[in-house]
Amino acid sequence: MNKKAICTLTLALSISLTSVALASNVNKERVFGADRYETSAKICDKGFTSNTEVAFIVSGENFPDALCTSPLAKKYNAPILLTSKGKLSSKVKERLIKLNVKKVFIIGENGSISKKVEDEIKSLSIEVERISGEDRYETSIKIAEKMDKNSEVVVTTSSLFADALSIAPIAAMKSMPILLVNKDNIPKETEEFIKNHNINKVYLVGGPGVITEAVKNKLPNAIRLYGNNRYETNINIINHFKDELDLSKSIIASGENFPDALSGSMLAAINKNPLVLLNDNPGKTTDDFLKQNNNTLKEMVILGGVSGVSEDAYSYAVGDKARPAEILASLSESEIRNYVQNGWDFIIKSAVGLNKGILKQNNEVIINNSYYHELKDEYSTREGLINLLSQTFSKEYSSKLINSLYYEKVNSKYYIVIGQPGMAFELWKSKIIDKKIQGNKLYITWSGYSEYGEKYPSTKAILKYENGKVVVDYYEELSMIGNVKR
């Protein structure tokens, strides 16, 4: 049994790679609840604190019907609250009562928001009016028909929520209806609305891959607003209307899910603020916009929990912190090698001493015909091992290693396995032949030699940026031991 590969590595601690955040005068506030429905209620609290005669109820499960709601809601200065199909959230119900709402507009038909929800609202002595059509296109027209006359409209697709939500606060500010079209054609009812309402200017949101040039050419004086992705489209829309916006405050929402941005569109519209879509890596256009406006920005309201927009997302964008991918990309080959190689010795150094009552052979413990080593008392429990391993390995991989490399004896103490089947890969003689970054992980493939000088085809490892430091998330040679799946 080969022990050298495990027992001869050099001890080193993981290096934490976090940059110091720059000082900022921005007042940051996060508005969120236990779910999307409570979050919509909390957002309502930010913009509506006194009597509000009208409120809008939209689906929190399907976005097409709801996309066009903001301009009509702005006409009434009304909040947009979310509901599931079959039940009105207790938190939303509380807001309707608290705001003394007299009338609710439900957007969408019964398949989107059930009659049960409608009846729940009516039971609060609130008048209910449902706005819906045969499909999402007709629903957008029904909403538009309830707005005041305007010679300008927004036209966008119903297949991508981000495009519509990026312009929703601006459309609301400018009282422009949002109309929906297909990629290759304009629905008959949309075409008739544009003709019958003397529309002479259209803001077309979405690139040619989303809405074709053939569609654009049928629209009067159409200005296409778009980018290479949803985040670039979002910023290009904001920049187009920049002079009409108050950039001292930004409403931030996830660009990956629609509910928070939908509820927050009215919050942005009321104060003429941009609605910025964000994630941990939205792209250069968003980064540049936030950096350029960082000195102007005094207040930032982040909608939703950290699973939608992380605590660091803004700091990444303005350069206060390096993104995990940037940190991993900056690692040299020797640094990558050290991270993978150094951790294991840190574990081995913790294994000292033997119990007199256990059979010994060459300073090892034999349990069930396998070689093990006793651990220090502070590392002989699962909690102790997790604390030890997490200094070098990711949380998930630490758990796998415990299940694979340790044996729990009847006395509830853990012992570490000694030995490894097969040839040991000499990492210090290796050369990286491939590496790829995905999110906060760096995937590495090495080519090299065994300790006997035999050519090794390849071996793999994964580094992960977790909790402010680089840790090992997988190492193929280590995972050959015990039961860790390769």
Side-chain angles (χ1 to χ4, degrees):
M1 186 172 289
N2 192 328
K3 305 166 193 174
K4 184 177 179 181
I6 293 181
C7 300
T8 60
L9 304 178
T10 305
L11 172 65
L13 299 177
S14 296
I15 301 170
S16 176
L17 291 174
T18 55
S19 58
V20 178
L22 302 177
S24 175
N25 295 320
V26 177
N27 178 30
K28 300 176 186 177
E29 179 184 3
R30 186 179 290 273
V31 180
F32 69 102
D35 55 28
R36 61 189 59 187
Y37 308 108
E38 186 176 351
T39 296
S40 77
K42 294 287 185 72
I43 292 171
C44 174
D45 291 342
K46 284 292 297 178
F48 305 90
T49 55
S50 58
N51 285 356
T52 301
E53 291 194 1
V54 175
F56 284 74
I57 299 291
V58 301
S59 171
E61 298 168 343
N62 296 293
F63 60 81
D65 287 343
L67 289 179
C68 308
T69 304
S70 298
L72 183 59
K74 181 62 174 63
K75 174 182 176 179
Y76 292 95
N77 280 324
I80 298 174
L81 296 161
L82 305 183
T83 184
S84 63
K85 177 181 176 179
K87 182 176 175 58
L88 188 67
S89 162
S90 61
K91 300 298 181 182
V92 170
K93 187 182 293 187
E94 286 173 10
R95 286 351 182 250
L96 295 177
I97 296 170
K98 176 184 175 182
L99 293 173
N100 197 27
V101 171
K102 305 297 185 187
K103 181 174 182 176
V104 161
F105 287 98
I106 293 178
I107 306 299
E109 40 75 49
N110 290 340
S112 177
I113 299 175
S114 69
K115 183 69 163 55
K116 181 182 177 183
V117 171
E118 182 178 337
D119 291 340
E120 282 186 77
I121 298 170
K122 288 179 177 178
S123 71
L124 302 174
S125 299
I126 296 174
E127 180 188 352
V128 175
E129 181 177 344
R130 189 183 289 268
I131 303 175
S132 65
E134 291 295 321
D135 55 28
R136 61 191 64 179
Y137 307 103
E138 187 177 347
T139 297
S140 74
I141 297 302
K142 296 284 188 181
I143 294 171
E145 287 172 344
K146 289 190 171 293
M147 294 183 61
D148 297 331
K149 292 187 67 174
N150 193 326
S151 61
E152 299 180 350
V153 298
V154 171
V155 171
T156 190
T157 176
S158 64
S159 60
L160 299 172
F161 65 83
D163 288 354
L165 292 180
S166 289
I167 202 167
I170 294 163
M173 283 167 43
K174 297 171 71 67
S175 300
M176 297 187 297
I178 300 175
L179 309 179
L180 303 179
V181 297
N182 292 307
K183 176 182 177 180
D184 299 308
N185 61 77
I186 304 172
K188 182 180 178 182
E189 56 265 43
T190 305
E191 200 166 25
E192 289 177 352
F193 180 92
I194 291 172
K195 180 180 178 181
N196 295 337
H197 288 77
N198 298 316
I199 303 301
N200 58 34
K201 188 173 185 179
V202 171
Y203 293 101
L204 181 64
V205 182
V210 176
I211 301 173
T212 63
E213 279 294 301
V215 170
K216 176 179 180 291
N217 292 337
K218 293 179 181 179
L219 299 170
N221 298 316
I223 299 173
R224 191 189 287 275
L225 302 173
Y226 74 107
N228 291 320
N229 55 49
R230 65 186 63 187
Y231 298 100
E232 191 172 310
T233 296
N234 171 246
I235 297 303
N236 287 344
I237 290 169
I238 292 171
N239 280 330
H240 187 87
F241 296 98
K242 192 173 182 178
D243 293 341
E244 301 177 59
L245 296 169
D246 178 3
L247 298 178
S248 67
K249 179 178 179 180
S250 286
I251 309 300
I252 309 290
S254 169
E256 304 303 312
N257 294 292
F258 75 91
D260 298 339
L262 179 58
S263 296
S265 62
M266 268 304 293
L267 187 60
I270 289 171
N271 299 299
K272 297 185 177 181
N273 303 135
L275 175 64
V276 180
L277 302 182
L278 197 60
N279 69 1
D280 280 358
N281 194 17
K284 187 176 185 299
T285 303
T286 302
D287 288 357
D288 288 347
F289 173 81
L290 292 174
K291 286 173 185 174
Q292 291 162 6
N293 292 283
N294 196 30
N295 292 332
T296 305
L297 187 63
K298 301 301 179 186
E299 185 177 356
M300 179 170 60
V301 179
I302 302 173
L303 307 180
V306 294
S307 62
V309 179
S310 73
E311 284 295 319
D312 288 330
Y314 179 80
S315 295
Y316 292 152
V318 298
D320 283 1
K321 288 186 178 181
R323 289 188 174 94
E326 295 167 343
I327 291 171
L328 294 171
S330 71
L331 296 177
S332 67
E333 184 162 348
S334 62
E335 287 173 323
I336 292 171
R337 184 183 291 108
N338 286 338
Y339 275 115
V340 176
Q341 184 167 336
N342 290 338
W344 186 239
D345 192 55
F346 190 60
I347 300 170
I348 291 296
K349 293 289 185 182
S350 71
V352 295
L354 293 170
N355 285 333
K356 292 181 180 179
I358 300 177
L359 178 64
K360 305 174 186 178
Q361 181 176 333
N362 298 327
N363 294 324
E364 296 163 346
V365 179
I366 299 177
I367 304 174
N368 293 342
N369 297 318
S370 295
Y371 293 95
Y372 287 82
H373 206 305
E374 191 179 40
L375 300 174
K376 288 180 179 179
D377 287 343
E378 61 264 40
Y379 302 135
S380 66
T381 64
R382 188 173 186 88
E383 181 182 4
L385 281 172
I386 284 288
N387 290 336
L388 173 70
L389 291 168
S390 63
Q391 297 182 51
T392 305
F393 301 102
S394 69
K395 183 178 179 181
E396 182 180 3
Y397 197 45
S398 294
S399 295
K400 290 181 179 180
L401 289 173
I402 288 177
N403 295 334
S404 171
L405 303 177
Y406 297 89
Y407 175 82
E408 186 176 9
K409 197 172 168 57
V410 290
N411 61 5
S412 297
K413 290 184 66 173
Y414 280 89
Y415 294 81
I416 189 170
V417 66
I418 298 294
Q420 173 176 325
M423 294 185 297
F425 184 74
E426 293 287 355
L427 198 58
W428 64 277
K429 294 179 181 179
S430 68
K431 181 178 181 180
I432 293 177
I433 58 174
D434 185 59
K435 60 180 180 178
K436 178 176 61 177
I437 294 174
Q438 290 185 346
N440 64 339
K441 292 186 178 183
L442 172 62
Y443 296 80
I444 313 119
T445 302
W446 280 286
S447 178
Y449 296 86
S450 75
E451 62 176 308
Y452 306 110
E454 297 176 79
K455 179 70 175 177
Y456 232 66
S458 67
T459 192
K460 300 179 184 296
I462 302 171
L463 294 183
K464 182 180 182 181
Y465 190 78
E466 181 179 83
N467 297 326
K469 63 182 180 182
V470 177
V471 292
V472 178
D473 194 49
Y474 172 78
Y475 180 39
E476 188 170 30
E477 291 299 295
L478 186 55
S479 294
M480 290 170 65
I481 308 169
N483 299 317
V484 174
K485 292 183 179 180
R486 297 183 60 175

